[in-house]
Amino acid sequence: YIRRGRWIGPAPEERPMARMARNIDIDEEGRYHLRGQVAGPKGYYPLQQKENAEQLISIIQRFTGLYFCDVVSLVILGTHYHLICLFQAFRELSRETLLELAQAFYPGSYRPYLKWGPADWERFNRRLFNVSELMRNIQQEFAHWFNKGNNRKGPFWAGRFQSGPSDNLLETAYYVELNSVRAGLARLPEKWRYSSTWMRKHGQDDWLMPLVELLDCDDADQARRLYWAGLYWTGTKSSKETDRLIPVEVAERMEKEQFPRGCFLQHNDSLMRGGKIGSREVIEAELRALREKGIYKRRRHPIPCGVGNLYAVRATRKSYFRL
């Protein structure tokens, strides 16, 4: 674009549009499927290196412990990572709680909170419920660590992180946790060390959302069995031709180990398509809330899953259960 014989930049219609602001309402509970992509050429897999993957997990664990959120699942792959978080709705915290968290955010000699006024403390309070602030901390911290250790400069991440809402946490978690299998990095999801499934299998999941909460099940043992059987059967289904799968016979063996009498014919369809899963009382309350919102006008009764004492919001088109 030339004006009066001088180049002043691209024409207005050719200039890139400003980034669209993320629509994040911290006053409501937030369920997020998050993804960070590494910047680099094809074949560049820095996150597959043990030191890098473990450092990223450590950073994720540290910051999610400071924000008011629960980690549902995560997986670190070669060029990117997936993270599912459930954020609490915003609430005002006491100054004592905020001071403890500020000290945890700034553990060194740099203590900006000593000079904060009321407006600064209010901003910090709101920050603790904001997923964008969480991701900024995670990605900046890792990029700084990686660049320092590799004597490099420049961006490590390819642009902003990607974020999408998750209406069904369990279904989204299964998708995330099966990434290593689909990509051919591991035959079974719990064999991939840099994942929440590996942590759950090896008893290192005390910082993750408990399975009883993820599956809305009061019985911890029942929740564990449902989780693993449902995960394996989900892994037998592909979304595209290049996907690697969990063999059906392996899923059948997992089902028999978790449920000796057998409960799935093909896969856990209610867990995937039944909406919310839980006890009869929990699902009855969910249905009442859905009717009040006008989503369901007639349905009043929970749908039995055929497994234990669990019920679903929605009926599936075809029953996959042996009662």
Side-chain angles (χ1 to χ4, degrees):
Y1 180 52
I2 300 175
R3 186 172 65 183
R4 296 181 182 179
R6 296 177 57 192
W7 167 258
I8 61 172
E13 64 273 12
E14 298 175 354
R15 294 172 188 168
M17 296 179 63
R19 294 190 307 183
M20 183 178 295
R22 296 187 188 275
N23 183 23
I24 297 174
D25 184 2
I26 67 171
D27 294 318
E28 296 182 358
E29 179 185 82
R31 302 177 172 206
Y32 303 102
H33 175 196
L34 307 160
R35 184 180 186 275
Q37 176 71 41
V38 171
K42 185 176 181 180
Y44 179 54
Y45 304 115
L47 297 182
Q48 277 189 16
Q49 298 176 21
K50 182 176 184 293
E51 183 182 13
N52 297 340
E54 290 181 347
Q55 179 67 17
L56 180 54
I57 291 174
S58 176
I59 290 173
I60 291 173
Q61 184 174 1
R62 174 176 178 251
F63 282 111
T64 54
L66 296 175
Y67 283 79
F68 283 80
C69 67
D70 291 312
V71 175
V72 178
S73 65
L74 78 157
V75 63
I76 312 297
L77 303 170
T79 61
H80 64 284
Y81 70 94
H82 292 266
L83 174 66
I84 302 176
C85 284
L86 173 63
F87 264 78
Q88 299 177 24
F90 171 77
R91 66 179 183 275
E92 292 187 4
L93 304 173
S94 68
R95 181 60 62 89
E96 181 181 4
T97 299
L98 289 172
L99 177 59
E100 291 178 357
L101 289 167
Q103 291 170 339
F105 265 95
Y106 306 101
S109 58
Y110 177 59
R111 302 175 183 177
Y113 53 87
L114 295 178
K115 298 181 180 180
W116 284 357
D120 299 305
W121 285 109
E122 183 179 351
R123 281 194 295 271
F124 182 64
N125 193 157
R126 297 188 69 82
R127 168 187 177 183
L128 298 172
F129 296 85
N130 191 316
V131 66
S132 287
E133 292 291 336
L134 168 68
M135 292 299 287
R136 178 179 65 83
N137 279 139
I138 290 173
Q139 302 213 153
Q140 284 186 357
E141 183 84 3
F142 182 84
H144 175 74
W145 172 86
F146 184 86
N147 283 355
K148 183 178 180 180
N150 291 274
N151 194 27
R152 72 185 292 273
K153 296 181 179 180
F156 177 82
W157 302 105
R160 295 197 296 174
F161 69 91
Q162 298 173 10
S163 174
S166 175
D167 295 329
N168 188 321
L169 285 178
L170 183 63
E171 183 176 350
T172 311
Y174 281 168
Y175 168 80
V176 165
E177 292 166 346
L178 288 165
N179 261 277
S180 59
V181 175
R182 287 195 298 269
L185 298 173
R187 185 167 179 263
L188 299 174
E190 69 271 23
K191 298 295 185 181
W192 184 244
R193 187 180 182 88
Y194 315 120
S195 68
S196 50
T197 46
W198 187 91
M199 297 172 197
R200 294 191 189 279
K201 190 71 173 181
H202 293 84
Q204 298 183 17
D205 58 341
D206 56 336
W207 63 287
L208 301 176
M209 174 183 281
L211 293 178
V212 290
E213 295 182 22
L214 180 57
L215 280 85
D216 269 326
C217 179
D218 295 332
D219 187 322
D221 184 60
Q222 178 82 332
R224 177 188 58 78
R225 290 183 284 135
L226 285 168
Y227 167 80
W228 286 105
L231 176 65
Y232 268 51
W233 276 115
T234 303
T236 66
K237 307 296 179 180
S238 64
S239 58
K240 55 185 179 181
E241 292 183 359
T242 57
D243 283 350
R244 303 287 179 87
L245 304 176
I246 294 177
V248 171
E249 59 271 18
V250 175
E252 289 176 341
R253 186 162 61 247
M254 169 61 77
E255 175 196 334
K256 291 178 181 178
E257 290 174 357
Q258 302 300 327
F259 297 93
R261 293 179 58 189
C263 59
F264 305 111
L265 182 60
Q266 286 188 328
H267 67 285
N268 193 341
D269 203 58
S270 283
L271 285 177
M272 293 295 295
R273 298 182 176 83
K276 191 169 184 176
I277 305 296
S279 66
R280 187 180 188 91
E281 294 76 15
V282 167
I283 301 306
E284 284 176 344
E286 179 72 8
L287 287 170
R288 284 196 298 271
L290 291 171
R291 286 198 303 275
E292 290 174 0
K293 294 179 181 179
I295 298 175
Y296 288 159
K297 296 183 179 179
R298 298 182 178 179
R299 183 167 302 157
R300 296 178 180 275
H301 303 293
I303 306 299
C305 288
V307 184
N309 192 30
L310 294 181
Y311 293 81
V313 168
R314 295 194 299 265
T316 56
R317 293 187 178 183
K318 178 180 178 181
S319 175
Y320 288 93
F321 294 99
R322 292 197 298 267
L323 301 178

